[in-house]
Amino acid sequence: MLTDMVRAKNPLPEPVADNGIEDVSLLILECLGEQGISALIRFGAQRPRNPWTFAAAGGELTHPIRNDAPSADKCLSNGLALIRQQGISVPL
């Protein structure tokens, strides 16, 4: 209910199908979570060269992964490649 009240005051735009990373990031994190993997994507303004970080650990991962990159899409893409190298399925 509170969320509905906040949205009434500050309506959020609907997702656009062609936005790319914005539309799939949460789905990827949720998919990993359903497999027992804790994951995050973060922006660190204090690191101007590679401000984006993707990290994941737990579940069936044999070791934690971390990837830093200059853009969100590159960061998430590289992080997912590292996860897939460990045999974890991410259908997105």
Side-chain angles (χ1 to χ4, degrees):
M1 278 233 194
L2 181 58
T3 303
D4 292 337
M5 292 170 46
V6 171
R7 282 194 181 160
K9 290 183 179 180
N10 301 312
L12 299 174
E14 290 296 316
V16 178
D18 295 332
N19 276 356
I21 194 71
E22 298 90 351
D23 294 334
V24 297
S25 297
L26 295 178
L27 293 174
I28 290 169
L29 294 175
E30 186 175 7
C31 175
L32 293 171
E34 289 171 353
Q35 297 182 63
I37 298 170
S38 297
L40 64 84
I41 187 164
R42 174 182 184 268
F43 182 83
Q46 73 283 5
R47 299 179 303 137
R49 185 170 179 192
N50 288 311
W52 288 96
T53 299
F54 176 80
E60 297 290 322
L61 287 174
T62 55
H63 60 275
I65 64 112
R66 176 182 170 148
N67 179 67
D68 298 315
S71 66
D73 57 341
K74 189 73 165 169
C75 185
L76 191 55
S77 177
N78 291 343
L80 290 177
L82 293 170
I83 286 175
R84 289 182 177 121
Q85 286 177 358
Q86 294 190 40
I88 305 298
S89 175
V90 183
L92 301 169

